[in-house]
């Protein structure tokens, strides 16, 4: 009898202190990841579905179905998207590599489907939030985040808050010009960083050098098929001592470093966090970037600057989106 009443008391206490959770969704061009994140940034449940299999409306419906089946006390939803977004209106301007999202009011639509407050932001802003809260940027107030992949994105944290700019689209480090009269860029600009260090353009530089007669073990690794060259193959060649691959990474680091000299002089950050596929190349890239900043940035600005790899990897999008929801709800 005593035991039973203790159990009832224990049960009701448990439901009274039921923890708060946030949903983080990371919609990429290929996959969409969804996670339930607790108040300490820990993912307690996650799922992944293919973005490409659905239209945008179908995708939101599918995600809502997953969430509506959860038995968690969910306070809100954050969504990171691979394109510029207006966090205030909960609207996606467009997706970089998926059609059908233009000017979609994603937050309002998702709230209708789930009854949960929903917030939307660009994926690199979301990654910057994650790294600031629980990753490489913990304990820093002024942080620049850079992601290197098919696109090159940036996130800026100033005095502990994300800087979004007038139209919520600040942070486009990938579209800082690094070459006067350089190649045309998809953004409408010219000579942008992304046009030299985005995945396909790293490959393009390697192919140009090979076509100009340079010898490289890259060609052996792809059995002579240039269309199979990827940044990963270039890295593989670098690791077996290939000189051309080494040159590609040094050039890549220089382009990135030059853009970051401007960023360091402009924002005076404490730390630069770099993530994304080619960040895995490691020392050669990070050392080249750091050396360029140390050579060229202004004296006081560069004194204590650190350039370090991102820590959260693949789950940064989920954790950061959940943190976006938490921050927006707490600041209401
Ligand atoms: Zn551009």
């Amino acid at each position: 009898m005593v035991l039973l009443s203790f159990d009832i008391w224990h049960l009701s206490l448990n439901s009274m202190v039921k923890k708060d959770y946030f949903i983080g969704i990371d919609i990429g061009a290929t996959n969409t990841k969804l996670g339930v994140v607790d108040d300490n940034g820990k993912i307690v449940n996650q799922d992944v579905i293919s973005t490409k299999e659905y239209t945008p409306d179908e995708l939101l419906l599918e995600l809502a179905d997953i969430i509506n089946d959860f038995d968690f006390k969910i306070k809100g939803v954050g969504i990171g998207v691979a394109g510029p977004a207006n966090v205030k209106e909960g609207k996606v301007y467009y997706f970089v590599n998926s059609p059908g999202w233009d000017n979609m009011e994603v937050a309002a639509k998702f709230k209708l489907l789930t009854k949960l407050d929903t917030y939307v932001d660009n994926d690199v802003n979301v990654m910057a939030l994650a790294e600031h809260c629980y990753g490489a940027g913990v304990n820093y107030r002024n942080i620049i985040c850079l992601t290197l992949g098919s696109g090159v994105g940036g996130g800026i944290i100033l005095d502990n808050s994300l800087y979004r700019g007038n139209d919520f689209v600040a942070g486009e480090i990938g579209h800082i010009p690094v070459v006067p009269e350089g190649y045309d860029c998809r953004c409408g600009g010219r000579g942008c960083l992304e046009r030299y260090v985005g995945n396909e353009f790293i490959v393009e530089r390697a192919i140009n050098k090979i076509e100009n007669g340079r010898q490289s073990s890259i060609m052996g690794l792809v059995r002579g098929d240039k269309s199979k060259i990827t940044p990963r193959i270039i890295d593989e060649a670098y690791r077996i001592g290939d000189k051309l691959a080494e040159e590609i990474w040094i050039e890549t680091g220089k382009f990135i470093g030059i853009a970051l000299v401007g960023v360091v002089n402009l924002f005076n950050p404490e730390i630069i966090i770099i993530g994304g596929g080619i960040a895995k190349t490691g020392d050669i890239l990070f050392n080249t970037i750091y050396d360029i900043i140390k050579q060229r940035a202004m004296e006081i600005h560069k004194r204590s600057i650190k350039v370090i790899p991102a820590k959260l990897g693949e789950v940064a999008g989920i954790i950061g989106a959940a943190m976006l929801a938490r921050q927006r709800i707490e600041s209401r």
Side-chain angles (χ1 to χ4, degrees):
M1 199 60 189
V2 174
L3 192 66
L4 182 67
S5 57
F6 170 80
D7 270 358
I8 291 166
W9 174 81
H10 191 75
L11 265 174
S12 61
L13 184 74
N14 224 2
S15 57
M16 267 162 62
V17 295
K18 205 171 176 189
K19 275 167 81 176
D20 288 333
Y21 293 92
F22 297 89
I23 300 278
I25 300 175
D26 175 9
I27 308 182
T30 315
N31 286 320
T32 294
K33 291 176 239 165
L34 176 152
V36 183
V37 181
D38 74 11
D39 226 7
N40 298 313
K42 192 170 157 252
I43 300 175
V44 295
N45 197 327
Q46 63 177 312
D47 209 338
V48 59
I49 58 176
S50 158
T51 310
K52 285 179 175 165
E53 268 180 37
Y54 304 96
T55 66
D57 280 318
E58 287 167 359
L59 183 77
L60 295 182
L61 204 59
E62 184 68 23
L63 292 167
D65 279 349
I66 295 172
I67 292 169
N68 292 336
D69 280 345
F70 280 146
D71 183 28
F72 291 98
K73 186 181 157 210
I74 293 160
K75 281 197 86 176
V77 180
I79 303 180
V81 295
N86 182 326
V87 71
K88 198 172 161 199
E89 294 174 14
K91 191 172 81 175
V92 171
Y93 287 110
Y94 59 87
F95 255 55
V96 175
N97 280 316
S98 310
W101 292 89
D102 292 10
N103 295 312
M104 188 191 271
E105 292 185 349
V106 172
K109 279 195 178 197
F110 208 65
K111 188 174 178 175
L112 269 181
L113 297 171
T114 60
K115 316 268 183 296
L116 292 165
D117 287 334
T118 303
Y119 303 88
V120 178
D121 206 345
N122 164 262
D123 57 358
V124 190
N125 281 348
V126 157
M127 174 258 195
L129 280 180
E131 291 292 339
H132 184 214
C133 293
Y134 298 109
V138 173
N139 298 327
Y140 294 96
R141 291 182 68 85
N142 296 291
I143 303 167
I144 300 297
C145 276
L146 188 68
T147 57
L148 304 169
S150 338
V152 175
I156 301 164
I157 288 173
L158 301 177
D159 279 333
N160 280 334
S161 12
L162 202 50
Y163 177 74
R164 293 186 172 91
N166 189 51
D167 296 297
F168 310 96
V169 291
E172 294 289 355
I173 297 172
H175 299 280
I176 291 177
V178 290
V179 179
E181 309 307 320
Y183 292 125
D184 287 341
C185 179
R186 65 177 170 82
C187 74
R190 199 164 168 186
C192 297
L193 176 64
E194 182 179 291
R195 184 60 187 76
Y196 297 86
V197 307
N199 284 348
E200 66 177 296
F201 304 114
I202 291 173
V203 170
E204 183 187 85
R205 282 190 287 115
I207 291 175
N208 284 345
K209 286 175 197 283
I210 290 164
E211 284 177 349
N212 283 328
R214 292 285 302 277
Q215 293 301 309
S216 166
S217 50
I218 291 172
M219 289 311 282
L221 291 170
V222 295
R223 294 167 196 258
D225 182 355
K226 278 183 261 184
S227 72
K228 292 213 159 60
I229 300 175
T230 61
R232 189 171 291 183
I233 293 282
I234 297 170
D235 201 38
E236 219 176 293
Y238 164 67
R239 281 171 208 289
I240 53 171
D242 186 74
K243 284 287 161 211
L244 185 132
E246 182 183 14
E247 192 179 303
I248 293 287
W249 290 135
I250 290 173
E251 268 179 20
T252 302
K254 278 186 178 167
F255 281 125
I256 297 167
I258 287 165
L260 288 176
V261 166
V263 173
V264 165
N265 288 347
L266 185 62
F267 292 114
N268 182 210
E270 298 160 273
I271 189 168
I272 296 170
I273 299 172
I274 304 182
I278 70 157
K280 294 194 184 92
T281 302
D283 286 352
I284 187 164
L285 195 68
F286 280 81
N287 290 344
T288 310
I289 293 169
Y290 184 73
D291 288 348
I292 293 282
I293 294 172
K294 281 290 182 183
Q295 283 161 24
R296 302 190 187 188
M298 294 172 76
E299 199 54 43
I300 300 168
H301 298 64
K302 70 186 177 190
R303 209 153 48 192
S304 58
I305 190 78
K306 295 183 193 70
V307 182
I308 61 164
K311 208 165 156 185
L312 299 173
E314 297 287 303
V315 294
I318 292 176
I319 296 173
M323 292 309 103
L324 168 75
R326 186 176 83 183
Q327 289 189 356
R328 301 302 287 186
I329 288 167
E330 281 171 1
S331 68
R332 278 194 308 217

